[in-house]
Amino acid sequence: MTAQRIRPADLVVHGGTVRTFDAEDTVADGLAVRDGRVVAAGAVAGHIGPDTEVLDLAGRTVLPGINDAHLHATWLGARWPHPLLGAPHEETPVVTAGDRRSAILRAGDVCASLGITSYTEPGLGPGETGCFAAEVVDEYAALHREGLLRARVTVLRLFGLLDGPSALPDFASGLATPVPAADPEWLAVTGVKIFADGIPPMRTAWTHHCYADGSHGALLVDGPDDDTRAVNLAAMITLAHEAGLVVGVHATGERSIEAALGHLREGDHLVHGDLVTPAQLRRMAGRGVGLTTQPAIATAMRPMVATALGDEVAAKAWPLRQILDAGVRLTLSSDAPVVTPDWRIHLAAAGELLGARGVTPELTARLLRCYTTEAAAQDGSATWKGSLAPGMAADFCVLADDPLGVALADLPSVAVELTVTGGRIVHKG
Ligand SMILES: [Zn+2]
């Protein structure tokens, strides 16, 4: 009997700490990659052949690639490096196919440099223009055909205006419009985004609390009164489900969360959830309805919520500890370019929200899962991406230090030195 020969790996990294984030939280000392997939985590020597690219980690740490569950990449590319919550900045107009292409490619550079290997473009559709137009999806498909995408993209379609109104007839006709065919591991149009309301600082979150002018906000979905608008929101969610799509609902006020929650099902998610209540969190956990929220927006906006709704309401907003304790399927995300796409800064902000002091490896691991395995689950792709077990997509990043060994507040200074998407090196720092 001769030992069966192993086909050599395309890429091997070794000599460091590989945090696989598999079900057992396996930590390995190396990773072997072939045909874009992980073939071994640990014991990689036998996978090295004459043509294998071998990288010595020299003690550095490998994490699964970061998956930003809510990132307006095309808009980010058009504004880079200027976030919306920052000094006023004239945005590069995105009008032509060439504009769309360069914005997406610029966002690809930014993502690769940050270790981001997947993201969700939350809201591209026929009612919008510029960075949010339906044609952006076509450009993604073209870039994928040309092998130029450096991160995997999940798209939520939008049949109204971003941060604005939508109407049921437009939603229904939008659903019937085609999307370009593409390899779903790289460009997956999985769902729809619906704007239920606005945000508390603009007094557009729909809430039982009272703004300084006596108003309460309202649903953005078209209708003559609150009840009709809620019925139309429910009808949109039902139509999306009937089309086999998942639903992401932008909802910041607890009344709009309430209006959506009764109609959402497992696999759907709420976006932001600023004023979510403990009772709503329990229902979300029980029904498998997820939440994606942005810690660095929470820390930046809390004073504005206090101005709009008072200190007491602001203190209870973004209840990250309760979200985690309730067992809600939580993803963390940036909503870039509203704020930075840098996940290290968002995790530091999450630490601030949680009052985390010092080094808490378990908490850091939990939060990193919200940017990796949980985000893959939101994409409906947990079976093949998000962790680094054998068979999974070879999407990973190499960090100068082990994030589980530093305080969350110090994470932003941990360098991202290498990013690999689908077994291909897309960034080398
Ligand atoms: Zn957004």
Side-chain angles (χ1 to χ4, degrees):
M1 290 259 300
T2 51
Q4 199 173 358
R5 286 175 61 107
I6 301 175
R7 198 150 60 84
D10 303 321
L11 172 68
V12 161
V13 296
H14 69 98
T17 303
V18 178
R19 297 201 172 276
T20 65
F21 285 1
D22 67 1
E24 288 78 37
D25 262 326
T26 304
V27 179
D29 58 1
L31 207 58
V33 172
R34 192 177 63 225
D35 300 332
R37 290 300 218 253
V38 175
V39 287
V44 295
H47 293 270
I48 298 175
D51 297 326
T52 305
E53 181 170 8
V54 181
L55 296 174
D56 186 356
L57 292 167
R60 293 173 297 176
T61 297
V62 175
L63 289 184
I66 299 299
N67 181 343
D68 191 321
H70 190 101
L71 179 148
H72 303 272
T74 313
W75 188 22
L76 173 69
R79 286 191 67 91
W80 184 256
H82 305 283
L84 195 64
L85 293 183
H89 165 71
E90 200 68 42
E91 210 166 289
T92 314
V94 170
V95 182
T96 67
D99 297 339
R100 291 188 281 273
R101 168 165 292 230
S102 37
I104 293 169
L105 290 175
R106 195 172 305 121
D109 288 343
V110 175
C111 287
S113 74
L114 291 171
I116 297 170
T117 58
S118 286
Y119 59 77
T120 291
E121 267 272 13
L124 301 175
E128 263 294 354
T129 56
C131 304
F132 315 104
E135 289 80 7
V136 173
V137 188
D138 300 324
E139 200 55 44
Y140 271 117
L143 287 167
H144 171 54
R145 281 194 301 274
E146 295 166 45
L148 294 174
L149 282 188
R150 293 198 282 168
R152 304 176 193 276
V153 183
T154 299
V155 172
L156 301 181
R157 305 183 78 198
L158 177 68
F159 304 122
L161 293 177
L162 196 92
D163 288 314
S166 56
L168 187 55
D170 296 340
F171 191 90
S173 58
L175 274 176
T177 58
V179 287
D183 174 356
E185 288 199 359
W186 285 91
L187 177 60
V189 183
T190 58
V192 298
K193 170 90 179 280
I194 302 171
F195 282 85
D197 64 358
I199 56 172
M202 307 293 289
R203 301 177 181 177
T204 49
W206 192 32
T207 176
H208 291 292
H209 303 294
C210 201
Y211 295 110
D213 61 1
S215 67
H216 297 273
L219 285 177
L220 283 168
V221 173
D222 198 33
D225 53 57
D226 286 341
D227 288 345
T228 314
R229 288 190 280 270
V231 166
N232 287 341
L233 172 65
M236 288 179 182
I237 294 170
T238 303
L239 280 175
H241 287 163
E242 286 169 1
L245 296 166
V246 299
V247 180
V249 179
H250 169 119
T252 63
E254 82 289 351
R255 285 186 85 176
S256 48
I257 292 169
E258 198 63 36
L261 190 50
H263 306 280
L264 296 179
R265 63 186 186 188
E266 185 165 3
D268 295 334
H269 66 276
L270 293 166
V271 183
H272 307 307
D274 307 17
L275 306 181
V276 68
T277 68
Q280 290 172 336
L281 290 173
R282 285 191 293 275
R283 282 168 65 205
M284 290 168 68
R287 299 177 52 174
V289 172
L291 172 69
T292 192
T293 197
Q294 301 81 26
I297 292 185
T299 52
M301 276 198 185
R302 197 184 297 282
M304 302 178 223
V305 176
T307 304
L309 288 166
D311 291 338
E312 205 178 315
V313 174
K316 287 184 181 165
W318 295 284
L320 188 56
R321 174 68 66 188
Q322 290 171 51
I323 293 166
L324 290 171
D325 289 349
V328 172
R329 304 187 69 156
L330 174 68
T331 63
L332 296 177
S333 55
S334 67
D335 204 4
V338 175
V339 294
T340 174
D342 190 335
W343 56 277
R344 297 166 299 182
I345 292 173
H346 284 271
L347 289 191
E352 202 180 315
L353 292 176
L354 294 166
R357 301 258 182 280
V359 180
T360 52
E362 296 76 19
L363 180 61
T364 302
R366 176 104 192 256
L367 295 173
L368 279 167
R369 280 184 173 276
C370 297
Y371 256 121
T372 53
T373 52
E374 292 299 319
Q378 182 180 298
D379 289 342
S381 304
T383 56
W384 63 270
K385 72 174 183 183
S387 85
L388 294 173
M392 303 293 279
D395 298 352
F396 60 90
C397 55
V398 176
L399 304 183
D401 293 302
D402 186 348
L404 273 60
V406 302
L408 283 165
D410 295 331
L411 206 53
S413 60
V414 174
V416 178
E417 303 199 332
L418 187 80
T419 307
V420 173
T421 311
R424 187 162 66 99
I425 295 172
V426 296
H427 162 74
K428 217 169 189 171

